């Protein structure tokens, strides 16, 4: 012990600051981080227009036997966004054009503020879509019809809610969550002709 | 180094243990490091946000998208596709036909460029099939009427673009 102590005292005293190696490391890390900094955090909502409506994420589900009567019915959900206070889901038989069911989901004014409120609406719509999907296994698309008088700011949160509603989250083998879209969102552009006619 | 005694370089050099005081610098660097780590993105961000567009805020944890290869910025009086020249107008309603015609021309050029790129990329015909894919990201100002976006989506669809991304700013 005394030998070690003696030896330690013999080490020449280093005049440089002990923080200098850390400083050098920071000076390397900071330019690398500056190069990869994101000044804007975007959120994008994927939409298709008629023409490409194949859902890459959807797989052919096994149809249970008790749902045989509806398995050949090609149903589609038409979502009407006419006001900022309501989202309307309309289940349509694609072959006959008949409306099978209409459901409305009121939106509260604090929708843009409260995340809990948004989560609640997403869960409600998701539940309805899942029940439709069980009844009509060939249901694979959600059409979006948006009123032309609304602003981009009004419609974007509503489309975002719908986007989250068509996602099915499952835990994968690891601890991660596998997100799968059960429907393809198809935007229906009406163009100027419709409004001019009306 | 007193003022009274004057500044003497010879005295300064003789001072024992003249160390650089880096504590305050360390504090600054640590704050910068934390800020940079919070805003770090492993995805290369090519998308610029033009000054005439104020995006709406969106709730949500996941940042979806990122598949876009073309961006259209739509402001109240300006429209810009990628790095093309801006289309400026005073009243959308009055100049609608001309604006949509200009946009159609730009979309057509974009599709032609994309198909040319694909021809160079895929020599094999089987690979080339269905590979032309233009995904258009729409960055519209929060006060832009959907009427304008709807018309542009319609023109894009007619030009052969069928995949879109509606972009907003993620609300933290």
């Amino acid at each position: 012990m005394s030998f070690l102590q003696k030896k330690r005292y013999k080490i020449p005293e280093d005049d440089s600051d002990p923080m200098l190696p850390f400083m050098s490391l920071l000076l390397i890390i900071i330019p690398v981080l500056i190069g990869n900094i994101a000044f804007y955090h975007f959120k994008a909502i994927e939409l298709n227009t008629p023409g490409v409506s194949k859902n890459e994420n959807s797989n052919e589900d096994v149809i249970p036997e008790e749902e045989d009567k509806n398995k050949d019915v090609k149903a589609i959900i038409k979502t009407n966004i006419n006001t900022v206070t309501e989202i309307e889901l309309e289940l349509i038989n694609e072959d006959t054009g008949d409306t099978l069911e209409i459901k409305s989901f009121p939106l509260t004014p604090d929708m843009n503020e409260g995340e809990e409120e948004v989560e609640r609406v997403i869960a409600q719509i998701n539940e309805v879509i899942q029940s439709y999907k069980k009844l009509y296994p060939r249901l694979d698309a959600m059409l979006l019809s948006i009123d032309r008088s609304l602003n981009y700011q009004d419609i974007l949160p509503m489309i975002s809610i719908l986007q989250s509603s068509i996602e099915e989250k499952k835990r994968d083998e690891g601890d991660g969550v596998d997100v799968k879209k059960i429907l393809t969102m198809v935007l229906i552009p009406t163009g100027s002709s419709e409004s001019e006619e009306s | 180094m007193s003022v009274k005694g004057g500044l003497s370089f010879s005295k300064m050099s003789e001072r024992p243990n003249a160390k650089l005081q880096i504590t305050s610098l360390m504090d600054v660097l640590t704050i910068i490091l934390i800020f940079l780590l919070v805003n770090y993105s492993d995805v290369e961000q090519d998308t610029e946000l033009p000054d005439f567009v104020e995006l709406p805020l969106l709730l949500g944890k996941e940042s979806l998208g990122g598949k876009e290869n073309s961006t259209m910025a739509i402001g109240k009086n300006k429209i810009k596709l990628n790095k093309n020249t801006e289309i400026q107008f005073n009243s959308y309603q009055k100049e609608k036909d001309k604006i949509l015609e200009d946009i159609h021309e730009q979309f057509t050029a974009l599709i032609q460029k994309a198909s040319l790129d694909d021809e160079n990329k895929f020599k094999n015909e089987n690979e080339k099939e269905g590979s032309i894919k233009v995904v258009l990201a729409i960055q519209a100002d929060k006060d832009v009427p959907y009427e304008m976006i709807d018309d542009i989506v319609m023109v894009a669809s007619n030009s052969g673009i069928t995949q879109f991304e509606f972009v907003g700013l993620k609300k933290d």
Side-chain angles (χ1 to χ4, degrees):
Chain A
M1 191 69 187
S2 60
F3 171 76
L4 280 173
Q5 277 177 345
K6 259 186 182 176
K7 197 155 192 184
R8 216 164 96 196
Y9 286 128
K10 278 181 185 173
I11 295 170
E13 205 176 290
D14 192 3
D15 282 345
S16 63
D17 197 296
M19 294 302 271
L20 271 178
F22 183 59
M23 281 283 295
S24 312
L25 184 69
L26 280 183
L27 287 175
I28 295 166
I29 290 173
I30 285 175
V32 173
L33 290 175
I34 286 174
N36 289 300
I37 192 167
F39 294 101
Y40 305 108
H41 292 272
F42 293 117
K43 183 172 178 179
I45 302 167
E46 290 171 39
L47 293 167
N48 294 325
T49 49
V52 180
S53 55
K54 193 168 174 63
N55 189 355
E56 290 170 5
N57 298 318
S58 72
N59 53 356
E60 291 297 323
D61 295 330
V62 179
I63 302 161
E65 280 179 24
E66 62 265 25
E67 288 153 14
D68 273 0
K69 61 174 183 179
N70 287 327
K71 75 173 185 184
D72 292 328
V73 177
K74 181 94 174 91
I76 201 159
I77 295 173
K78 188 185 172 206
T79 310
N80 301 310
I81 300 177
N82 298 323
T83 62
V84 290
T85 55
E86 192 181 73
I87 292 177
E88 190 183 81
L89 294 191
E90 190 179 350
L91 186 70
I92 298 171
N93 184 328
E94 206 179 338
D95 299 323
T96 60
D98 296 337
T99 300
L100 302 169
E101 196 173 302
I102 295 180
K103 280 206 170 168
S104 297
F105 299 88
L107 304 175
T108 50
D110 62 340
M111 192 59 72
N112 289 324
E113 302 300 326
E115 201 160 338
E116 284 175 17
E117 181 65 14
V118 173
E119 292 293 332
R120 190 185 60 80
V121 177
I122 289 171
Q124 277 182 350
I125 299 175
N126 185 266
E127 199 180 318
V128 171
I129 291 171
Q130 295 276 9
S131 65
Y132 287 164
K133 185 81 180 164
K134 275 184 190 162
L135 275 173
Y136 302 97
R138 289 182 70 194
L139 175 70
D140 63 354
M142 175 190 267
L143 304 181
L144 260 183
S145 169
I146 304 167
D147 192 285
R148 285 165 61 90
S149 63
L150 298 172
N151 286 345
Y152 188 61
Q153 184 174 230
D154 300 328
I155 62 156
L156 205 59
M158 295 166 99
I159 302 174
S160 178
I161 287 172
L162 291 169
Q163 169 93 37
S164 304
S165 307
I166 59 165
E167 285 173 354
E168 193 179 47
K169 289 174 185 170
K170 280 183 184 170
R171 290 211 167 270
D172 61 10
E173 288 169 1
D175 285 338
V177 178
D178 184 28
V179 179
K180 190 183 82 173
K181 280 185 198 166
I182 50 176
L183 299 176
T184 307
M185 269 169 81
V186 182
L187 180 70
I188 314 170
T190 49
S192 54
S193 56
E194 195 175 277
S195 63
E196 277 162 16
E197 281 168 17
S198 60
Chain B
M1 216 171 88
S2 65
V3 178
K4 203 177 179 182
L7 194 67
S8 166
F9 287 103
S10 58
K11 275 184 187 171
M12 273 178 78
S13 60
E14 283 168 12
R15 275 195 312 176
N17 294 329
K19 281 184 183 176
L20 179 66
Q21 294 298 319
I22 56 167
T23 314
S24 52
L25 187 60
M26 281 291 300
D27 292 345
V28 172
L29 284 180
T30 310
I31 291 165
I32 293 173
L33 184 71
I34 291 165
F35 170 78
L36 292 174
L37 284 173
V38 168
N39 290 293
Y40 176 80
S41 168
D42 55 350
V43 181
E44 200 178 327
Q45 198 175 32
D46 289 334
T47 318
E48 288 174 16
L49 189 62
D51 54 0
F52 60 86
V53 171
E54 193 185 333
L55 289 177
L57 296 173
L58 273 177
L59 284 171
K61 286 164 193 163
E62 299 104 12
S63 184
L64 301 167
K67 292 176 185 170
E68 87 285 351
N69 46 24
S70 296
T71 306
M72 171 154 264
I74 307 170
K76 280 173 247 173
N77 297 306
K78 284 177 189 172
I79 295 173
K80 190 179 179 187
L81 175 66
N82 294 332
K83 289 179 179 170
N84 293 3
T85 47
E86 289 171 0
I87 300 169
Q88 295 197 5
F89 50 91
N90 294 320
S91 165
Y92 177 73
Q93 290 297 338
K94 285 176 187 169
E95 300 167 54
K96 188 168 34 180
D97 292 340
K98 194 187 175 305
I99 295 164
L100 294 179
E101 199 177 304
D102 289 349
I103 292 171
H104 181 69
E105 276 174 24
Q106 291 192 358
F107 281 145
T108 310
L110 182 74
I111 293 286
Q112 279 175 351
K113 190 178 173 294
S115 56
L116 269 174
D117 287 348
D118 272 9
E119 268 178 33
N120 294 332
K121 199 173 170 184
F122 303 107
K123 301 289 177 199
N124 188 342
E125 281 297 314
N126 294 331
E127 283 180 349
K128 207 174 83 174
E129 199 176 322
S131 63
I132 302 168
K133 220 178 225 180
V134 176
V135 182
L136 184 70
I138 292 182
Q139 297 178 339
D141 187 275
K142 63 188 179 73
D143 296 323
V144 161
Y146 180 68
E147 179 188 2
M148 222 161 123
I149 300 165
D150 187 62
D151 287 340
I152 291 168
V153 168
M154 190 74 167
V155 171
S157 298
N158 291 339
S159 308
I161 301 168
T162 53
Q163 284 180 282
F164 299 87
E165 283 183 0
F166 280 17
V167 182
L169 278 183
K170 211 162 68 169
K171 199 175 185 179
D172 293 321

